[in-house]
Amino acid sequence: MKYIKTLNKTKLTDNISVKGCGECQTSCQSACKTSCTVGNQKCEYDLTQFLRLEGKRN
Amino acid sequence: MIHIFNIKDLYFAVDTNSGLVHAVEKIIYDLLMNEIFKDENKYSELYSEYGEDSVLEALSEIQYLIDNKMLYTEEIKYENKIKPVIKAMCLNMTHDCNLRCEYCFASQGTYNGEKAFLSFETGKKAFDYLVKSSGNRRNLEVDFFGGEPLMNFDTIKKLVDYGRSLEKEYNKHFRFTVTTNGVLLNEEKINYINENMDNVVLSIDGRKETNDRMRKTINGKGSYDLIIDNYKKFIVKRGNKDYFVRGTYTSNNLDFCEDIIHMRESGFDKISVEPVVAKPDEKYALKEEHVEILKKEYEKLAEYFIQSNNDKNKRFQFFHFNIELDGGPCIYKRSIGCGAGTEYVAVTPAGELYPCHQFIGTEEFIIGNVDEGITNQVVVDKFKNISVNDKPVCRNCWAKYFCSGGCHANAYNFNKDFSIPYDVGCELEKKRVECSIYIKTKCYN
């Protein structure tokens, strides 16, 4: 594309069948306490799955 | 739904429902403006500026995005997979404080009640409740809060030990945060906090005159000189672990960018400065007439951020300019809101549960206690059905999946209605998202 550069590699609609584990940080518990922001948080799905598997192995 | 905007020399189109952000040339921006790309009579007027071939080429790129569900994407129909459970807790270690900050939502630490300290026994019960209520969620969050939590430091230490013992027993992971005004920070506390707290929030408003205008000692003097060296010592020992120096700006410092510059020049590299939450009749409250000034201030801050980012010794994080375009939360998380009362509770020294710290002291919002858990389902239910798509104003807002609907307490304080967000807060949040996208493009692309 000559005039458009898409900044993301993934869409919000990608992988919605596996997402939704609820392990990510509660929005207000970060630094704010007065403003809710989620766009700056990280998805913890992959990390949590990894730790669960590690827990089972050990 | 899309949103187009420009800052300085850059132009953007945000596609709300896919979450995609496109950096575009001005020709695309002009074609998307008022959707003139849909009308040949209108877009042909751009031929004189860009040439017919270029306009037609740009039109084909817009069409490509639309065909591939990257622009004007329809609302996704889904059932939210996250079944909220209480997994995060704001634990009020004291209802007392050694400062008397003028804007304190907690009425100088007492939340309009008696002075009180949380006992170890009540804290233990709170942790037991958290473990029990969290079901199969592994990550649990506890913020030691107040009042000033370090006034009850020994109990914090005992509770951290207790939490660690529960981790092993129940396969949980506690993430501890402490939010402090810094007055009582000494070497012992700094070492302990650095070892045991996943995150630390250090309150300071910026320049000495800004800080001291609102953050006063019991004797009415400024607190800046009491805390600044403590914070500097703290971050030297903090290493790479998370912390934020966190300030509040009010109508007294609409030039809050200068406060952030001061914080950065004082050596802090993780900074959060937020708009005050205050009733409109307070003299320091932010009002509608301030919004345009504040938006310009965020742009000024964005330029300072970009300039600092060019020098690895000057780089810093600004909490509200962090944005995860990939690897951010899923759509379910982005739509359920802040979690007050459904994923998150605040606990008072008396063991009462509130939906969040902002509601403490308003008895009608007590939702339970640490002995019995949730006992007032009527109030909890009010917090259950206010996802971002349940709020009419949010449903049609381009930024809804970046902010998730804003702070319920703000909505209630200003509108007495959880479903109507605080509009000044919305305008500022949207500006911060725009600035974050602008920064991302300038610094990392």
Side-chain angles (χ1 to χ4, degrees), chain B residues 345-396:
Chain B
V345 291
V347 183
T348 67
E352 301 147 332
L353 304 180
Y354 281 86
C356 93
H357 55 286
Q358 294 273 349
F359 291 102
I360 290 179
T362 309
E363 284 191 9
E364 65 185 274
F365 283 109
I366 295 175
I367 55 173
N369 58 69
V370 293
D371 291 304
E372 302 164 281
I374 302 291
T375 55
N376 190 346
Q377 198 60 40
V378 176
V379 173
V380 172
D381 286 347
K382 287 183 186 168
F383 287 85
K384 268 191 177 163
N385 300 315
I386 40 175
S387 79
V388 73
N389 285 315
D390 292 322
K391 301 180 183 184
V393 177
C394 299
R395 198 181 303 140
N396 299 313

Side-chain angles (χ1 to χ4, degrees), chain A residues 2-3 5-10 12 16-17 19 23-25 32-33 35 38-40 43-44 52, chain B residues 18-19 21-23 25 61 81 87 136 138-139 143 175 246 274 322 324 326 332-333 357 402:
Chain A
K2 189 170 165 187
Y3 302 109
K5 183 180 180 191
T6 303
L7 302 181
N8 338 42
K9 294 183 185 69
T10 54
L12 283 181
I16 60 170
S17 60
K19 295 287 177 76
E23 290 287 0
C24 46
Q25 189 179 34
C32 58
K33 290 286 188 187
S35 59
V38 292
N40 58 7
C43 173
E44 305 220 15
R52 283 228 162 92
Chain B
S18 68
V21 179
H22 309 285
E25 297 291 331
E61 291 194 7
K81 283 174 64 184
K87 66 183 185 83
N136 65 353
R138 184 172 183 275
N139 295 322
D143 186 5
R175 287 176 177 159
R246 187 215 182 273
E274 311 233 354
N322 290 343
E324 288 283 336
D326 288 301
Y332 308 114
K333 168 71 175 183
H357 55 286
F402 291 101

Side-chain angles (χ1 to χ4, degrees), chain B residues 2 12 18 66 110 141 152 173 180 276 300 372 392 432:
Chain B
I2 71 160
F12 299 92
S18 68
I66 295 170
T110 63
E141 300 152 42
N152 198 0
H173 176 228
T180 177
V276 71
K300 189 176 155 196
E372 302 164 281
R432 291 189 296 248

